[in-house]
Amino acid sequence: MGGKDYARFAELSFDDFRRLAHDEALSPYERIGFPDDYREGFERAIFEDIRRKLPALDGSGSVVVDIGPGCSELPQMLRTHCEERDHHLVFVDSSEMLDHHADGPGLRKVPGRFPDVAAELGEERGTAAAVLAYSVIQYVFEDGSVFGFLDAALELLAPGGALLIGDLPNASMRSRYFASDAGQARHKEFAQDDSPPPVSFNAIQRGRMDDAVVLSLVARARAAGFHAWIVPQDPSLPMANRREDLLVVRP
Ligand SMILES: C[S@@+](CC[C@H](N)C(=O)[O-])C[C@H]1O[C@@H](n2cnc3c(N)ncnc32)[C@H](O)[C@@H]1O
């Protein structure tokens, strides 16, 4: 797949995702903004990585919230896992994305953009053992407040509960990777030419999250009384060399 195809899925807004959700010409991965080769065959490994970071998923009878579940196999895996363990699962996404998920016991669907719809999660506030927002907050960074998003997600957590804001594309991490020997070799293989890898230091990168943004989310959560860490993705995941996860636990 050429660079143009990847560019089709760059810089999507919440409304762009609403449009993609109902586009019958797209694969399930493309509907959530990924070229197939970023996700096809990888979602089980992604789910297992999430499970390791949110151990409450393996308990039973808890409240679990997925903000921005999308409509590929990943939310389906979460749903099946939650059904088997009697969790109360909440999906928050556009009605177009939620249309892909059949109604059923154990699943509550809250249509709309988070945190605009946070008031509708009054029942879940302070009760969630696990909150997940995987590959979502980068789209909030474009046209909303990542701090508003984080604060509202923190408010959902029960004592001991954990929030995973996962799959953060970090432009600084990406540049560090592509500046390395391994990154340069990978770029050469991908581009199939001798063009320089995309390394950018000391430059304004509009719309892209970087170390400053990612680490400020840690600081924000800690200042609000939560434990917070940036944690690596399992190396088998497709973007582990330039993406990382924010894990927050309510003490
Ligand atoms: C890249 S997809 C990720 C889907 C899923 N979490 C996954 O990793 O397979 C981003 C999803 O987040 C949703 N989304 C984006 N901004 C959102 C917001 N502010 N509130 C709720 N959902 C949002 C989009 O509609 C889309 O379904």
Side-chain angles (χ1 to χ4, degrees):
M1 177 178 290
K4 221 171 91 211
D5 296 305
Y6 286 103
R8 272 171 66 206
F9 299 108
E11 292 167 18
L12 297 168
S13 69
F14 185 74
D15 288 332
D16 291 331
F17 278 113
R18 298 174 67 184
R19 185 176 43 77
L20 292 180
H22 279 180
D23 189 334
E24 296 295 325
L26 300 180
S27 73
Y29 314 110
E30 290 172 334
R31 286 196 193 116
I32 56 161
F34 290 114
D36 288 346
D37 44 350
Y38 276 23
R39 276 297 180 97
E40 199 165 14
F42 288 114
E43 292 201 330
R44 175 55 62 185
I46 293 172
F47 182 65
E48 293 308 323
D49 197 43
I50 291 170
R51 252 179 91 188
R52 279 190 288 274
K53 290 164 180 163
L54 293 177
L57 291 179
D58 288 344
S60 62
S62 295
V63 172
V64 175
V65 181
D66 186 349
I67 304 168
C71 61
S72 65
E73 293 128 348
L74 191 61
Q76 199 45 56
M77 286 173 200
L78 179 66
R79 182 174 185 179
T80 304
H81 189 88
C82 287
E83 272 169 12
E84 289 167 359
R85 287 159 184 82
D86 231 4
H87 291 313
H88 168 69
L89 177 63
V90 183
F91 280 169
V92 185
D93 207 319
S94 65
S95 56
E96 289 84 352
M97 283 291 174
L98 294 179
D99 283 348
H100 288 274
H101 300 282
D103 292 328
L107 176 67
R108 179 168 175 236
K109 298 195 275 186
V110 176
R113 185 195 305 241
F114 191 82
D116 301 357
V117 292
E120 296 188 30
L121 294 161
E123 237 173 75
E124 284 81 13
R125 205 181 143 101
T127 70
V131 177
L132 175 66
Y134 202 82
S135 217
V136 175
I137 205 168
Q138 58 267 41
Y139 304 104
V140 177
F141 184 68
E142 278 288 311
D143 58 2
S145 163
V146 287
F147 296 120
F149 185 99
L150 174 67
D151 290 353
L154 293 176
E155 284 172 356
L156 295 172
L157 290 180
L163 160 69
L164 186 69
I165 298 191
D167 211 31
L168 304 171
N170 178 343
S172 314
M173 184 183 184
R174 183 174 186 267
S175 284
R176 281 191 292 274
Y177 172 66
F178 280 122
S180 71
D181 291 347
Q184 288 180 22
R186 176 76 187 93
H187 174 74
K188 203 167 177 173
E189 184 192 325
F190 175 81
Q192 305 212 320
D193 59 30
D194 284 327
S195 59
V199 173
S200 175
F201 292 112
N202 298 327
I204 294 170
Q205 297 197 59
R206 291 185 62 144
R208 294 192 192 279
M209 302 203 301
D210 63 0
D211 279 340
V213 177
V214 168
L215 295 173
S216 72
L217 291 169
V218 173
R220 176 78 184 174
R222 288 183 178 182
F226 295 77
H227 299 310
W229 309 269
I230 299 297
V231 292
Q233 297 191 338
D234 187 276
S236 68
L237 301 196
M239 286 180 277
N241 52 29
R242 51 194 183 279
R243 293 192 175 203
E244 52 196 350
D245 298 346
L246 168 65
L247 179 63
V248 183
V249 171
R250 181 171 168 189

